[in-house]
């Protein structure tokens, strides 16, 4: 299968999973990246029929139906209850391998197209399921510190890096005997023995600034056999980060962005350009991941405060534009 077709199929699955509505073939053609390459209606029809057959052969359950009795044309969707796997039990080493493979598979091109598909869904008035667990996560990126820390763990070598705590802009140098790198709640952490505190600690990779430097010779660090890295990170994060909130002020286009409105409070009204809208406040527990959520609503949402969130959303929208123009 060609790369272009594989990306188109992923975008199609993402679009059909992200809505409870039935989408007609013509609507799918305008929303899903890849179908615009079809020069004629017949070419699109053949392409779409091949893709439907491919998905069904892969075991992906396509549903057909109408959103109401007044719809003249049938549409398509994927029922999440039929798509998702049941609970799978993996041994610790198997789970580690699967987690690494899933997160190291990361395509910037796919990220832009997948975000573009969701932006187009919302722009077309399709209500996207905000609460469904993600099935394809191309937005998950490893941090720059990931590779050198993983290499240090494999070599058993001490590392040193500058670290910024969540409650302070100050950066402090940490010297760590790394035991492992794990992912928890879509964030990467390194766990090990902190020589400065003489105690086990974990550090979020996104707060490591600058270069990760190795100290001393390889082979001097070994992971204690009784330490469960994931349980340590989960317990430490719960104690150290009791769900801090950031209050954001947003502009929402009038009658749009229903997913955000469900969690927000209207505090005023504002006209941006020629568009009327509401000023709302929303409390965000995870501002970093909230930038993806907000950017997915495209031009219907504008971040007024804080500036760091506004910049994060702009960066994501620029990536979508660049990906669509590539």
């Amino acid at each position: 299968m060609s790369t272009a077709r594989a990306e188109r199929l992923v975008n199609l699955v993402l679009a059909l999973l992200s809505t409870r509505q039935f989408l007609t073939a013509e609507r799918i053609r305008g929303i899903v990246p890849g179908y615009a390459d079809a020069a004629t209606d017949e070419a699109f029809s053949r392409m779409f029929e091949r893709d439907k057959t491919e998905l069904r052969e892969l075991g992906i359950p396509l549903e057909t139906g109408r959103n109401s009795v007044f719809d003249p044309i049938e549409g398509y969707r994927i029922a999440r209850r039929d798509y998702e796997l049941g609970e799978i039990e993996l041994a610790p080493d198997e789970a580690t391998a699967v987690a690494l493979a899933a997160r190291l598979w990361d395509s910037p091109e796919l990220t832009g197209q997948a975000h573009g598909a969701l932006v187009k869904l919302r722009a077309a008035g399709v209500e996207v399921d905000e609460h469904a667990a993600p099935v394809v996560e191309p937005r998950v990126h490893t941090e720059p510190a990931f590779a050198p820390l993983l290499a240090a763990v494999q070599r058993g070598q001490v590392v040193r890096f500058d670290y910024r705590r969540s409650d302070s802009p100050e950066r402090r140098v940490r010297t760590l005997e790394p035991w492992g790198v794990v992912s928890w709640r879509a964030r990467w952490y390194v766990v090990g023995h902190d020589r400065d505190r003489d105690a086990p600690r974990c550090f979020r990779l996104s707060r490591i600034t600058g270069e990760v430097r190795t100290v001393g010779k390889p082979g001097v660090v070994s992971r204690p056999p009784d330490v469960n890295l994931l349980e340590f990170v989960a317990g430490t994060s719960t104690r150290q980060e009791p769900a801090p909130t950031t209050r954001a002020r947003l502009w929402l286009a009038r009658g749009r962005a229903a997913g955000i409105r469900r969690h927000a409070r209207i505090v005023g009204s504002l006209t941006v350009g020629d568009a009327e809208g509401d000023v709302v406040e929303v409390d965000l527990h995870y501002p970093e991941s909230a930038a993806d959520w907000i950017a997915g609503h495209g031009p219907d949402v504008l971040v007024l405060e804080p500036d760091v969130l506004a910049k994060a959303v702009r960066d994501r929208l620029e990536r979508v534009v660049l990906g669509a123009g590539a």
Side-chain angles (χ1 to χ4, degrees):
M1 184 186 299
S2 67
T3 301
R5 187 180 180 194
E7 291 179 353
R8 187 176 69 244
L9 288 174
V10 171
N11 287 322
L12 176 59
V13 171
L14 180 64
L16 296 179
L17 275 171
S18 299
T19 176
R20 296 188 180 95
Q21 301 177 24
F22 289 100
L23 302 181
T24 64
E26 192 60 33
R27 204 166 195 183
I28 290 171
R29 182 180 183 179
I31 289 173
V32 176
Y35 288 123
D37 298 336
T40 65
D41 292 345
E42 291 183 0
F44 164 71
S45 180
R46 290 194 299 270
M47 183 185 300
F48 187 50
E49 288 300 321
R50 286 197 302 267
D51 288 350
K52 287 192 297 180
T53 300
E54 183 76 28
L55 292 183
R56 288 186 173 114
E57 289 178 351
L58 290 172
I60 297 176
L62 286 180
E63 283 188 340
T64 59
R66 294 178 171 86
N67 296 312
S68 73
V69 294
F70 302 105
D71 288 342
I73 303 175
E74 284 193 336
Y76 304 88
R77 71 182 181 188
I78 297 174
R80 186 172 291 271
R81 64 181 182 277
D82 298 327
Y83 180 86
E84 293 177 337
L85 291 173
E87 185 176 351
I88 299 176
E89 295 184 2
L90 297 174
D93 56 340
E94 294 172 330
T96 300
V98 170
L100 285 173
R103 286 163 175 78
L104 291 176
W105 177 74
D106 185 14
S107 166
E109 294 79 10
L110 183 58
T111 300
Q113 291 190 1
H115 277 296
L118 291 182
V119 169
K120 289 181 179 180
L121 276 172
R122 292 189 176 98
V126 176
E127 180 67 16
V128 173
D129 189 352
E130 301 285 352
H131 303 290
V135 177
V136 180
E137 298 189 20
R139 71 178 184 275
V140 177
H141 296 271
T142 56
E143 305 294 338
F146 178 87
L149 286 173
L150 185 61
V153 171
Q154 295 171 340
R155 292 195 303 263
Q157 194 168 13
V158 179
V159 293
R160 184 171 291 152
F161 49 81
D162 296 333
Y163 189 74
R164 174 185 57 82
R165 289 178 54 88
S166 61
D167 56 356
S168 172
E170 182 183 359
R171 294 173 174 82
R172 296 184 179 181
V173 178
R174 299 296 186 194
T175 303
L176 183 73
E177 299 174 7
W179 297 337
V181 180
V182 296
S183 176
W184 187 70
R185 289 190 175 177
R187 296 183 178 92
W188 285 101
Y189 295 83
V190 60
V191 183
H193 179 81
D194 186 343
R195 287 187 172 182
D196 303 300
R197 301 177 183 176
D198 192 25
R201 289 291 187 273
C202 69
F203 299 91
R204 192 193 296 183
L205 268 59
S206 62
R207 294 180 184 153
I208 295 177
T209 62
E211 182 182 358
V212 175
R213 306 172 295 278
T214 56
V215 179
K217 297 180 180 180
V220 299
V221 178
S222 60
R223 171 182 164 184
D226 59 341
V227 173
N228 184 308
L229 300 181
L230 192 58
E231 288 182 1
F232 183 86
V233 170
T236 302
S237 298
T238 301
R239 292 192 301 271
Q240 293 182 350
E241 302 179 41
T245 60
T246 296
R247 178 160 298 178
R249 185 177 287 256
L250 313 174
W251 173 86
L252 307 182
R254 188 64 50 82
R256 309 290 291 181
I260 292 180
R261 289 179 182 274
R262 284 196 291 267
H263 305 279
R265 302 173 299 279
I266 298 178
V267 297
S269 60
L270 181 67
T271 299
V272 176
D274 297 329
E276 295 182 353
D278 301 311
V279 177
V280 304
E281 289 183 348
V282 59
D283 294 328
L284 305 174
H285 292 278
Y286 303 102
E288 295 174 11
S289 58
D292 290 323
W293 176 52
I294 294 171
H297 290 80
D300 293 335
V301 181
L302 177 67
V303 179
L304 303 177
E305 297 175 2
D307 290 340
V308 64
L309 179 61
K311 183 180 184 303
V313 172
R314 284 197 302 270
D315 289 344
R316 284 157 173 78
L317 291 175
E318 287 173 2
R319 288 203 297 266
V320 171
V321 173
L322 291 174

